[in-house]
């Protein structure tokens, strides 16, 4: 079983920085890995199409970078099936969405832990790629790897904030992240992610998590936005989205087109191949 960089950083009390990937192409994992910048990649499976074969290929790409860990974001309805297949493909950690109660949190922990008397999980031994198919299935090294899976929870619903103290007390919960967009919907303020009530809830979550020894994580478009959160004691960030990077590039180039007196093909159809190359 390969080392879990994110687990190591958490155990050592060190900060971590990851980045998001939505593109369902293992080559993007390699591009990020070759940069040697991030501690882990979060494959945002909740928002991206994928197959079981794709997850295996992502696991193979991740194996090229032993000093970089991985995480996947798993939606509510099929969380057990997806989380276990992702882990067994080699995606080592899981961010679970739509948590509302402490029982939801306990279920998430059970899903990733092995079914030993000590761990009390429901993840059974398997013949999948993360264990070499036939090499480490059900062995102590696999049990330890399941114990090392970082369990992160989205706190993004009104009931989750109401039950936050009980959720944070669940053994095995390592990280929590606030979801301002979903939370704003759940309190009747759609689109109000920046509303003072929503932002106050996020700060309360951070303060409560730190008091109870659970690490809060913040998503950012850029680390230039990190300092206010660092001042609150946050040391774990996931920064940038591959699709956001592409969109931002397109918008910047569009602004240059306007500045140079060019028009985009989307606006007028006037820029041909020759003009675009100049």
């Amino acid at each position: 079983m390969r080392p879990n960089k994110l687990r190591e950083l958490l155990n050592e009390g060190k900060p971590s920085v990851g980045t998001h990937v939505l593109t369902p192409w293992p080559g993007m994992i390699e591009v990020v890995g070759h940069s040697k910048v991030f501690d882990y990649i979060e494959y945002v499976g909740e928002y991206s199409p994928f197959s079981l074969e794709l997850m295996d290929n992502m696991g193979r790409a991740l194996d090229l970078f032993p000093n970089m860990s991985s995480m996947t974001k798993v939606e509510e309805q099929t969380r057990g099936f997806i989380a276990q297949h992702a882990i067994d493909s080699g995606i080592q950690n899981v961010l679970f969405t739509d948590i509302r109660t402490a029982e939801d949190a306990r279920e998430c922990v059970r899903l990733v832990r092995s079914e030993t008397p000590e761990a009390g999980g429901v993840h059974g031994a398997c013949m999948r790629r993360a264990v070499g198919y036939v090499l480490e299935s059900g062995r102590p090294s696999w049990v330890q790897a399941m114990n090392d899976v970082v369990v992160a929870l989205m706190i993004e619903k009104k009931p989750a904030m109401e039950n936050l103290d009980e959720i944070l007390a669940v053994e095995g919960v390592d990280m929590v992240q606030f979801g301002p967009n979903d939370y704003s919907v759940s309190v009747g303020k759609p689109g109000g992610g920046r509303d003072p009530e929503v932002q106050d809830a996020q700060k309360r979550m951070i303060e409560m998590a730190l008091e109870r020894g659970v690490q809060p994580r913040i998503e950012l478009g850029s680390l230039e936005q990190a300092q206010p959160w660092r001042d609150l004691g946050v040391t774990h960030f996931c920064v940038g989205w591959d699709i956001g990077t592409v969109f931002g590039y397109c918008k910047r180039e569009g602004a240059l087109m306007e500045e140079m007196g060019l028009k985009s093909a989307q606006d007028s159809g006037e820029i041909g191949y020759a003009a675009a190359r100049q």
Side-chain angles (χ1 to χ4, degrees), residues 15 63 100 233 263 275:
D63 280 352
R100 295 176 178 84
K263 293 183 179 179

Side-chain angles (χ1 to χ4, degrees), residues 42 67 72 76 97 176 185 192-193 212 221 231 239:
E42 180 194 315
N67 292 321
T72 190
E76 177 183 6
T97 68
V176 287
V185 172
R212 287 152 182 77
D231 292 342
V239 56

Side-chain angles (χ1 to χ4, degrees), residues 98-115:
D98 303 304
I99 304 303
R100 295 176 178 84
T101 66
E103 183 51 41
D104 289 343
R106 280 189 284 270
E107 178 193 13
C108 293
V109 176
R110 285 195 297 266
L111 289 172
V112 305
R113 300 290 186 253
S114 63
E115 197 162 353

Side-chain angles (χ1 to χ4, degrees), residues 68-90:
M68 183 175 70
S69 189
S70 53
M71 176 183 284
T72 190
K73 188 177 185 182
V74 173
E75 55 202 295
E76 177 183 6
Q77 285 78 11
T78 52
R79 60 171 54 131
F81 177 83
I82 296 173
Q84 292 185 7
H85 273 274
I87 292 167
D88 295 340
S89 293

Side-chain angles (χ1 to χ4, degrees), residues 22 43 55 58 91 93 102 107 109 120 153 159 161 174 179 219 234 240 250 253 255-256 263 266 272 275:
L22 282 84
Y43 175 59
M55 285 198 289
M58 285 191 161
I91 301 173
N93 309 295
E107 178 193 13
V109 176
L153 306 179
M161 282 301 298
D174 298 296
E219 289 184 333
V234 178
C250 293
E253 292 300 301
L256 285 173
K263 293 183 179 179
Q266 180 176 335

Side-chain angles (χ1 to χ4, degrees), residues 212-271:
R212 287 152 182 77
V214 177
Q215 290 300 316
R217 189 187 82 158
I218 296 291
E219 289 184 333
L220 299 172
S222 167
L223 281 176
E224 294 172 344
Q225 305 162 346
Q227 193 57 50
W229 305 109
R230 295 188 70 191
D231 292 342
L232 291 175
V234 178
T235 58
H236 299 278
F237 299 93
C238 201
V239 56
W241 292 258
D242 54 350
I243 59 173
T245 299
V246 172
F247 181 75
Y249 168 80
C250 293
K251 296 296 287 185
R252 288 191 299 272
E253 292 300 301
L256 285 173
M257 289 179 190
E258 184 175 353
E259 182 181 322
M260 296 168 65
L262 299 172
K263 293 183 179 179
S264 71
Q266 180 176 335
D267 290 337
S268 64
E270 294 178 1
I271 298 181

Side-chain angles (χ1 to χ4, degrees), residues 100 157-167 183 204:
R100 295 176 178 84
K157 307 293 184 183
K158 183 181 179 182
M161 282 301 298
E162 294 170 345
N163 298 311
L164 184 58
D165 200 45
E166 292 82 2
I167 291 170
Y183 185 79
R204 289 202 313 275

